[in-house]
Amino acid sequence: MFKLFLGLIDLAPQPMLKVETLGLRFRNPLILAAGILGLTAPILRRVVESGAGGVVTKSIGLKPRKGYPNPTVVDLGFGFLNSMGLPNPGLEKFMKELETLRDLEAPIILSIYAFSEDELVEIGRAVSGLDVISAVELNISCPHVDGISEIAKDPILVKSYVKTLKRHVDKPVIVKLSPNVSDIVRIAEAAVDGGADALTAINTVRAMSIDVEVGRPVLAGVFGGLSGPAIRPIAVRCVYEITESLDIPVFGCGGVETARDVIEFLMAGATAVQLGSAIARGGLRIFKKILKGLRSFLEEKGYNSIDDIRGLAHRR
Ligand code: RRO
């Protein structure tokens, strides 16, 4: 009898966490960010089993790439500084890896980069028709790789890259923007003009750290990208500015660690959020922890779904 009663309590409606955007269904708004754990199929599977609503792969280029020499990552406590330098196995090999993930219960977003529009055409054609991939995220914003970091700063290049990719790929295109620009809304507009279906804000913040014992930069690549909680207010500001001006889905990315951080991004106007550094620091258990916190917050405040809080901070 007692069990039956408990069963009835469990039937009470839970706040809805699902996100429907780009014609895709994410069971919750927590998505693995590009660059963290996104290089092999078994790990991507584990991320989804751990509760992620979707995954973005490591950025993949046309050809295999070794990346920069060590040290490539430094933990600053308040965030990570990385200069990985786009290490990846190349598109052909990685596509075979993804083929094994057809049964995954969450959308796979393939992060891609290209050093030229010709490369982008080849990548777009190669991934078209591959239904294991739900969307592509175009990375134009790695802050420390020459040939990529410049794209994100130039609205003409941004529009042209996006337009080229849209012409040659049969999937929604998400464009990942850089915070290292004077006016992110201008760049977002260029991406939209080029035909972007959604945006991700933001990639890492260009930064550096110096080892004072030896008087040299810590990273072999000298400059790197700062991620983690230190950049969250910058990311929230970027999401807010973009969604204040443009009607396009925005994935918030930068320093999400707790349910409250997710709520902050949603209230700023984000459609969903991406998590990276928090997983590197706290492991995969973070997904379930955040989901629990998210449900509690919505229940306590009497919201039925995350749709009820999206963009709330824009009220005047
Ligand atoms: O691989 C990297 O060094 C890297 C990339 Br592609 C990126 O987009 N952002 C970043 O901080 N690091």
Side-chain angles (χ1 to χ4, degrees):
M1 184 64 192
F2 183 56
K3 264 193 179 156
L4 188 65
F5 187 53
L6 277 181
L8 285 176
I9 289 174
D10 280 346
L11 287 179
Q14 286 213 327
M16 283 201 301
L17 299 183
K18 74 169 173 14
V19 174
E20 284 172 348
T21 186
L22 304 172
L24 305 173
R25 189 180 188 283
F26 300 85
R27 63 189 164 168
N28 68 60
L30 310 185
I31 298 170
L32 177 75
I36 306 281
L37 303 179
L39 261 183
T40 72
I43 294 183
L44 285 167
R45 189 179 289 284
R46 263 191 64 202
V47 172
V48 172
E49 284 166 1
S50 302
V55 291
V56 185
T57 70
K58 172 73 184 157
S59 295
I60 304 294
L62 204 51
K63 301 189 185 98
R65 196 178 140 99
K66 246 176 97 178
Y68 292 154
N70 284 322
T72 51
V73 185
V74 47
D75 184 354
L76 299 173
F78 48 82
F80 292 103
L81 184 60
N82 90 82
S83 179
M84 303 296 292
L86 282 162
N88 77 95
L91 190 64
E92 201 181 324
K93 196 159 173 216
F94 193 64
M95 293 320 306
K96 289 193 185 118
E97 187 82 19
L98 289 186
E99 278 297 326
T100 63
L101 292 174
R102 294 199 162 272
D103 57 331
L104 213 62
E105 283 174 13
I108 299 175
I109 299 167
L110 177 71
S111 172
I112 57 168
Y113 69 88
F115 287 104
S116 69
E117 292 187 44
D118 288 345
E119 276 190 12
L120 208 49
V121 171
E122 275 195 63
I123 295 172
R125 285 186 181 145
V127 303
S128 289
L130 294 177
D131 49 10
V132 67
I133 298 163
S134 296
V136 291
E137 185 180 82
L138 176 60
N139 184 358
I140 50 166
S141 48
C142 178
H144 44 259
V145 171
D146 293 345
I148 300 290
S149 59
E150 299 82 4
I151 305 169
K153 294 178 188 156
D154 180 344
I156 295 169
L157 269 184
V158 170
K159 181 176 171 183
S160 181
Y161 264 68
V162 177
K163 207 168 167 188
T164 297
L165 179 59
K166 279 294 290 180
R167 241 190 251 137
H168 293 94
V169 79
D170 64 352
K171 307 189 187 309
V173 171
I174 306 162
V175 180
K176 187 162 185 177
L177 302 179
S178 170
N180 309 303
V181 295
S182 57
D183 184 354
I184 196 165
V185 176
R186 190 154 167 248
I187 303 295
E189 279 165 357
V192 171
D193 283 352
D197 299 290
L199 304 171
T200 296
I202 53 176
N203 206 317
T204 51
V205 175
R206 185 169 161 91
M208 79 179 287
S209 182
I210 293 167
D211 182 339
V212 296
E213 297 300 328
V214 293
R216 286 181 187 284
V218 176
L219 294 171
V222 181
F223 302 107
L226 183 64
S227 60
I231 72 164
R232 193 173 57 246
I234 300 173
V236 170
R237 183 265 296 170
C238 290
V239 170
Y240 184 93
E241 281 188 327
I242 295 166
T243 54
E244 181 80 6
S245 296
L246 297 169
D247 188 14
I248 185 166
V250 178
F251 295 91
C253 181
V256 172
E257 291 191 318
T258 66
R260 284 196 169 258
D261 300 340
V262 177
I263 293 158
E264 193 182 3
F265 272 101
L266 294 171
M267 288 183 173
T271 295
V273 300
Q274 298 181 356
L275 284 83
S277 298
I279 302 167
R281 186 171 298 285
L284 288 169
R285 71 180 74 89
I286 192 161
F287 284 106
K288 293 208 170 118
K289 202 171 151 202
I290 292 181
L291 290 173
K292 195 168 165 222
L294 213 46
R295 281 195 195 95
S296 303
F297 179 89
L298 295 172
E299 257 164 22
E300 269 165 34
K301 304 278 183 190
Y303 294 118
N304 295 320
S305 84
I306 55 169
D307 299 335
D308 295 348
I309 61 171
R310 190 171 292 112
L312 216 56
H314 289 268
R315 278 173 309 175
R316 291 277 184 266

